[in-house]
Structure formats: structure tokens, C-alpha cells
């Protein structure tokens, strides 16, 4: 019952990961899903319904129609996004502007730059799974430089050993002791036949 101007699902950044969704949306709800390929195609304005948040308005975008047809359109007046997702990966060159446009919106979003950064951090992911969700993770030894406030000391994450180093210099003996204890511990017994070059649980992070 919705027309293309009643609902606007906005995809920010590269369409590569979303192409099947864009094509399917063109069939099921032509014109309702809009691809935004440039930060100049969108603007943020203070929300009229949720103080402290922003509305995302699209002045241009690629819309999708039945049969896989697409068209670059100019929207006058600009279309307000009702749902926003996109390429939030920190390593992606488009990640910065995508994350900025999607920050603190008054509509639901399919992710954020902060969430993408956390999900790509293997150590944080393992700590959350083990400490918060009580899920088993591979035996992990990690050397952490600095405070790393995103990795609290409590609660303890089973299977994850964090060694905090104040500075990288002069810590060789401590590192060697921790590695020896880790490899000789009960957690690594199932991997006893694995060569050192194949042990993936030993890692470090800055």
C-alpha cells in the first residue's frame, strides 16, 4: 500500500554488497529503495520529531525499477530517508562519509561506523562473546598496549588471556613467559599436534 514517495530506504556508498537487495526491491516496491553514491547527494537537517537527532534528506539518488532497470533521479523536494544502511567498514575509503551521514539519525539504521569497527576487532569480538554471552571462543592470548578502555578487566572472559603492557620496550621476557605458559597450558592441549606457525590464538594489538 506504500507508494515510492511514502517510503525511502537509503543505501549509502558502494552498491556491491547490496546489489541483490536493490534489484529485488525494484521488483517488489519500485522506486522505494534509493542508492546514494556521493555525500553531496544527501544532507542532514535537525529532526522535527526527535530533538537531538537528524533527518537525512536525499536530493539525488539511483532508484531501481522492475526488471533490474535503474535511473539517476533528482528529488524536488528532497526525499526523507525512513531507513538507512550502507558501507560502514572502517577500511573502506567511503566509510568515513557514510558513517557521518548515518550518525544520530531519527530513523532506523542498519549499522554504524562504531559497530563496524568493533566487529572487525577480533579481540573485542572474542571478549564480548566470552565475557558477555558466555559463548566458547578459541584459546586466545593477546598483548594489549595502553589502557584499551573497550576491554575492561572485569568480568573475566573465559578462554581470553589479556596481558597489558605499559610500553613495548623491555618486555621481551614477560612476553616469552606468557607465550610459553599459554602454549603449555591445558587450553592448548587439543592443539598439541599443530605447528607453531599454525597456532592462530596468539596475537597482539595496539
Amino acid at each position: 500500500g506504500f507508494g515510492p514517495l511514502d517510503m525511502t530506504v537509503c543505501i549509502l556508498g558502494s552498491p556491491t554488497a547490496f546489489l541483490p537487495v536493490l534489484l529485488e526491491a525494484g521488483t517488489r516496491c519500485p522506486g522505494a529503495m534509493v542508492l546514494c553514491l556521493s555525500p553531496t547527494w544527501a544532507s542532514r537537517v535537525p529532526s522535527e520529531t526527535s530533538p537531538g537527532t537528524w533527518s537525512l534528506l536525499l536530493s539525488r539518488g539511483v532508484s531501481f525499477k522492475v526488471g533490474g532497470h535503474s535511473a539517476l533521479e533528482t528529488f524536488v523536494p528532497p526525499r526523507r530517508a525512513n531507513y538507512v544502511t550502507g558501507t560502514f567498514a572502517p577500511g573502506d575509503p567511503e566509510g568515513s562519509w557514510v558513517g557521518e551521514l548515518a550518525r544520530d539519525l531519527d530513523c532506523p539504521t542498519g549499522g554504524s561506523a562504531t559497530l563496524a569497527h568493533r566487529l572487525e576487532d577480533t579481540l573485542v569480538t572474542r571478549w564480548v562473546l566470552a565475557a558477555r554471552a558466555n559463548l566458547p571462543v578459541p584459546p586466545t592470548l593477546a598483548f594489549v598496549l595502553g589502557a584499551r578502555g573497550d576491554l575492561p578487566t572485569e568480568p573475566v572472559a573465559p578462554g581470553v588471556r589479556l596481558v597489558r603492557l605499559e610500553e613495548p620496550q623491555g618486555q621481551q621476557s614477560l612476553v616469552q613467559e606468557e607465550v610459553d605458559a599459554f602454549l603449555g597450558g591445558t587450553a592448548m592441549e587439543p592443539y598439541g599436534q599443530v605447528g607453531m606457525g599454525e597456532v592462530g590464538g596468539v596475537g597482539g594489538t595496539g
Side-chain angles (χ1 to χ4, degrees):
F2 287 95
L5 296 181
D6 299 318
M7 178 174 61
T8 301
V9 176
C10 176
I11 306 292
L12 298 171
S14 171
T16 304
F18 299 94
L19 193 55
V21 178
L22 290 165
L23 295 175
E24 182 66 15
T27 299
R28 294 183 177 270
C29 195
M33 185 168 283
V34 178
L35 175 64
C36 178
L37 295 171
S38 169
T40 61
W41 294 8
S43 60
R44 289 160 51 91
V45 298
S47 174
E48 297 179 356
T49 57
S50 302
T53 62
W54 302 82
S55 294
L56 186 67
L57 302 181
L58 302 174
S59 57
R60 300 187 76 187
V62 180
S63 62
F64 289 76
K65 309 291 173 55
V66 177
H69 298 287
S70 61
L72 176 60
E73 297 188 47
T74 299
F75 306 121
V76 181
R79 286 176 61 169
R80 178 178 176 273
N82 305 114
Y83 181 86
V84 175
T85 189
T87 308
F88 296 104
D92 192 288
E94 297 174 335
S96 58
W97 70 263
V98 170
E100 180 59 28
L101 284 180
R103 180 176 53 84
D104 299 329
L105 296 181
D106 59 358
C107 67
T109 59
S112 68
T114 302
L115 178 61
H117 175 74
R118 285 185 172 271
L119 291 177
E120 286 199 353
D121 189 321
T122 304
L123 182 54
V124 170
T125 302
R126 289 188 183 185
W127 187 89
V128 170
L129 290 175
R132 299 294 187 188
N134 296 318
L135 294 175
V137 298
T140 303
L141 171 64
F143 297 96
V144 181
L145 293 176
R148 280 299 297 264
D150 55 342
L151 291 167
T153 55
E154 296 293 338
V156 174
V160 179
R161 167 72 174 154
L162 299 180
V163 180
R164 298 178 184 271
L165 304 177
E166 297 298 326
E167 57 183 41
Q169 288 77 25
Q171 303 291 322
Q172 290 85 351
S173 60
L174 172 61
V175 170
Q176 187 62 53
E177 290 175 6
E178 290 289 347
V179 171
D180 290 343
F182 175 76
L183 294 178
T186 56
M188 291 301 293
E189 286 180 355
Y191 307 92
Q193 301 302 316
V194 180
M196 278 291 291
E198 302 175 38
V199 177
V202 182
T205 179

